[in-house]
Amino acid sequence: MANKWQIWYPHIIDAWQGSATVQTFSHAAYRAYHNLIMAQFQSEDGKLPDDDKQLAKLSRIGAEWSGVAFEVREALTVDGNGRIYSQTQFELWKDAHSKHVDYLERMEAARLAKAQRKAQSNGQVNTQLNTQ
């Protein structure tokens, strides 16, 4: 299941509509590719499995996958580690992931600062907080 930060991504309409690759897809390939880039964004590493059975499922076109696999795969990059990805979507994923990690770090720093203030206001010394 996707993390909360992965429930949406910026779909850059002009780039999508202007993509020669996307515009030359057959109808089934267009649908498959769109579903795959959504699945890619919700994956743990921002990439897809390089496996046709899994891609057929993730693309949500099932048995039709064999008819569009070549067409869709041409638009994806192979990473050499059993994963494939849309470069554009991967850049969006990396940006969103970085913002998410930064947010978590800020929230942890705020939590620690709050705990430290609370300990100080109670006249307590929290050595664990002071060492961080």
Side-chain angles (χ1 to χ4, degrees):
M1 181 166 203
N3 289 307
K4 194 172 186 177
W5 66 271
Q6 294 172 296
I7 61 173
W8 71 274
Y9 67 92
H11 186 75
I12 304 167
I13 298 168
D14 288 344
W16 179 261
Q17 296 294 349
S19 167
T21 301
V22 170
Q23 297 315 309
T24 60
F25 280 148
S26 64
H27 292 294
Y30 184 97
R31 179 174 174 235
Y33 186 75
H34 193 240
N35 284 329
L36 286 174
I37 65 168
M38 288 188 286
Q40 177 184 332
F41 194 82
Q42 291 189 326
S43 70
E44 280 188 33
D45 64 354
K47 297 179 181 179
L48 298 162
D50 191 1
D51 175 82
D52 283 314
K53 187 175 181 180
Q54 291 178 45
L55 292 171
K57 184 177 180 179
L58 291 170
S59 70
R60 299 180 181 209
I61 64 168
E64 289 181 76
W65 174 252
S66 61
V68 300
F70 180 77
E71 191 177 355
V72 173
R73 281 178 165 278
E74 277 191 320
L76 300 170
T77 301
V78 177
D79 77 355
N81 295 310
R83 306 291 282 169
I84 60 176
Y85 59 96
S86 156
Q87 184 63 48
T88 300
Q89 192 70 343
F90 188 57
E91 294 302 322
L92 293 171
W93 182 90
K94 287 191 305 185
D95 183 55
H97 183 262
S98 176
K99 288 176 182 173
H100 174 66
V101 169
D102 289 348
Y103 169 79
L104 292 177
E105 289 172 355
R106 286 192 315 272
M107 292 302 102
E108 180 63 11
R111 184 192 68 76
L112 289 172
K114 182 179 179 181
Q116 179 120 22
R117 285 190 306 273
K118 183 177 180 181
Q120 288 173 345
S121 70
N122 291 335
Q124 301 169 351
V125 176
N126 188 331
T127 57
Q128 182 181 7
L129 291 176
N130 290 331
T131 62
Q132 294 182 6

